[in-house]
């Protein structure tokens, strides 16, 4: 966009009785005003929602699905292994370690973001997908939820499997996991929803528009000078579909998981 400073100056000097037009201070102020108008006009053009919408990656859904599914899988795997160790494996100070693990739930997520950011930066993982996925290795609530479920599994099943020659991993895979299906399904749904809607942590880790998730992309549609609500609403509706589908497919297990803690005997 070209600025018509010269023409504006000629128009100004053509005004009658313009005694202050030769003042250097006035000239500098006028030129600064014109340059600022040009900058604002260019900013309006660059920051428009339509421009941002055109710069978004075509693989937003694929990226979001990859990050969310990876985050969920890592959470289920790590939390179920930790819960199995806390409930079915006897080791020194196991109960103390579990209590310290639960105590970490009292630490706000915002407090741990700076140390996590420093760790990811030292590992060279900034602006990569693993930086968004790796924090799912440590989720105290997920471990606590599965511990409550696995404590209800009779140890007779574990002993019977040991008599048949099964090792720890086989017992974990063929005995404990199937009997914890309802809790795992519930945890899968809640973790999927949390990761799919997560905004702050991906915002800190991903600064490349070609790697952003759908949540970050929707936020970028809010321009400084306006918002394309039709595109924003369409994207929001699109982002709701996976969560609705996941819940519809797993609602049976979700209800069983919620009822498991309230029914005894």
């Amino acid at each position: 966009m070209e600025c018509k400073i010269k023409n504006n100056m000629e128009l100004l000097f053509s005004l009658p009785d313009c005694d202050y037009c030769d003042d250097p201070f006035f000239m500098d102020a006028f030129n600064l005003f014109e340059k600022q108008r040009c900058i604002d006009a260019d900013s309006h053009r660059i920051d428009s929602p339509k421009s941002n919408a055109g710069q978004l990656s075509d693989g937003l859904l694929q990226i979001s699905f990859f990050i969310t599914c990876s985050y969920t899988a890592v959470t289920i795997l790590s939390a179920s292994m930790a819960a199995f160790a806390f409930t079915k494996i006897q080791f020194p100070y196991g109960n103390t370690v579990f209590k310290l693990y639960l105590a970490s739930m009292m630490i706000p997520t915002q407090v741990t973001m700076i140390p996590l950011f420093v760790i990811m930066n030292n590992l060279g993982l900034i602006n990569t997908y693993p930086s968004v996925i790796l924090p799912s290795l440590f989720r105290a609530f997920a471990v606590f939820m599965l511990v409550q479920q696995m404590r209800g599994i009779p140890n007779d099943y574990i002993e019977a499997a040991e008599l048949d020659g099964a090792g720890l991993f086989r017992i974990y895979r063929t005995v404990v996991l199937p009997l914890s299906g309802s809790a795992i399904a519930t945890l899968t749904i809640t973790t999927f929803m949390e990761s799919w809607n997560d905004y702050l942590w991906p915002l800190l880790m991903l600064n490349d528009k070609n790697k952003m998730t759908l949540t970050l992309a929707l936020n970028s549609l809010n321009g400084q000078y306006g918002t394309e609500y039709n595109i924003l609403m369409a994207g929001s509706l699109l982002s709701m579909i996976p969560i609705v589908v996941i819940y519809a497919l797993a609602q049976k297990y979700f209800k069983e998981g919620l009822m498991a803690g309230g029914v005894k005997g």
Side-chain angles (χ1 to χ4, degrees), residues 41-55:
D42 290 339
S43 299
H44 179 79
R45 176 175 55 85
I46 294 173
D47 193 46
S48 64
K50 291 183 178 180
S51 177
N52 288 336
Q55 295 174 3

Side-chain angles (χ1 to χ4, degrees), residues 6-56:
K6 183 176 179 181
N7 294 337
N8 291 336
M9 291 295 297
E10 292 177 354
L11 177 61
L12 179 63
F13 282 118
S14 65
L15 295 176
D17 300 330
C18 185
D19 296 334
Y20 54 86
C21 293
D22 295 330
D23 188 356
F25 177 78
F26 171 77
M27 295 293 296
D28 292 339
F30 185 83
N31 290 333
L32 180 62
F33 173 76
E34 286 295 329
K35 290 179 181 178
Q36 184 63 40
R37 280 205 331 176
C38 294
I39 293 174
D40 292 341
D42 290 339
S43 299
H44 179 79
R45 176 175 55 85
I46 294 173
D47 193 46
S48 64
K50 291 183 178 180
S51 177
N52 288 336
Q55 295 174 3
L56 298 181

Side-chain angles (χ1 to χ4, degrees), residues 227-245:
T227 301
E228 289 291 332
Y229 288 103
N230 53 345
I231 302 177
L232 185 60
M233 292 298 103
S236 299
L237 178 61
L238 186 65
S239 67
M240 293 172 56
I241 295 177
I243 296 178
V244 174
V245 172

Side-chain angles (χ1 to χ4, degrees), residues 17-237:
D17 300 330
C18 185
D19 296 334
Y20 54 86
C21 293
D22 295 330
D23 188 356
F25 177 78
F26 171 77
M27 295 293 296
D28 292 339
F30 185 83
N31 290 333
L32 180 62
F33 173 76
E34 286 295 329
K35 290 179 181 178
Q36 184 63 40
R37 280 205 331 176
C38 294
I39 293 174
D40 292 341
D42 290 339
S43 299
H44 179 79
R45 176 175 55 85
I46 294 173
D47 193 46
S48 64
K50 291 183 178 180
S51 177
N52 288 336
Q55 295 174 3
L56 298 181
S57 172
D58 295 333
L60 286 175
L61 282 177
Q62 291 86 339
I63 293 173
S64 296
F65 267 115
F66 171 74
I67 292 178
T68 302
C69 292
S70 301
Y71 186 96
T72 304
V74 171
T75 298
I76 298 300
L77 184 63
S78 61
S80 60
M81 286 185 174
F84 175 70
F86 283 130
T87 55
K88 302 304 178 183
I89 300 177
Q90 301 295 328
F91 58 94
Y93 306 105
N95 192 33
T96 303
V97 174
F98 180 62
K99 290 179 179 178
L100 292 175
Y101 205 81
L102 293 182
S104 64
M105 296 174 61
M106 295 185 294
I107 303 176
T109 305
Q110 292 78 6
V111 175
T112 62
M113 283 187 175
I114 295 178
L116 276 177
F117 183 88
V118 173
I119 293 173
M120 295 302 173
N121 187 42
N122 292 336
L123 294 176
L125 296 178
I126 299 297
N127 201 33
T128 62
Y129 298 138
S131 64
V132 183
I133 299 170
L134 286 179
S136 62
L137 286 170
F138 185 88
R139 294 198 65 214
F141 174 76
V143 175
F144 172 74
M145 182 176 179
L146 293 181
V147 162
Q148 299 304 111
Q149 173 70 21
M150 292 182 183
R151 278 178 176 171
I153 299 176
N155 291 329
D156 296 341
Y157 295 158
I158 309 298
E159 295 173 358
E162 290 176 347
L163 291 176
D164 290 338
L168 284 177
F169 183 75
R170 185 177 179 184
I171 294 173
Y172 159 79
R173 181 173 56 87
T174 60
V175 178
V176 176
L177 284 184
L179 293 175
S180 306
S182 58
I184 291 176
T186 304
L187 183 60
T188 299
I189 296 174
T190 56
T191 304
F192 186 93
M193 293 173 60
E194 176 187 350
S195 178
W196 183 265
N197 295 321
D198 193 13
Y199 172 77
L200 184 56
W201 184 246
L203 179 66
L204 295 176
M205 291 293 102
L206 304 176
N207 49 40
D208 186 354
K209 286 190 175 182
N210 294 323
K211 295 181 179 181
M212 66 170 52
T213 61
L214 183 60
T215 306
L216 297 179
L218 291 177
N219 183 72
S220 69
L221 295 177
N222 292 317
Q224 181 179 358
Y225 297 95
T227 301
E228 289 291 332
Y229 288 103
N230 53 345
I231 302 177
L232 185 60
M233 292 298 103
S236 299
L237 178 61

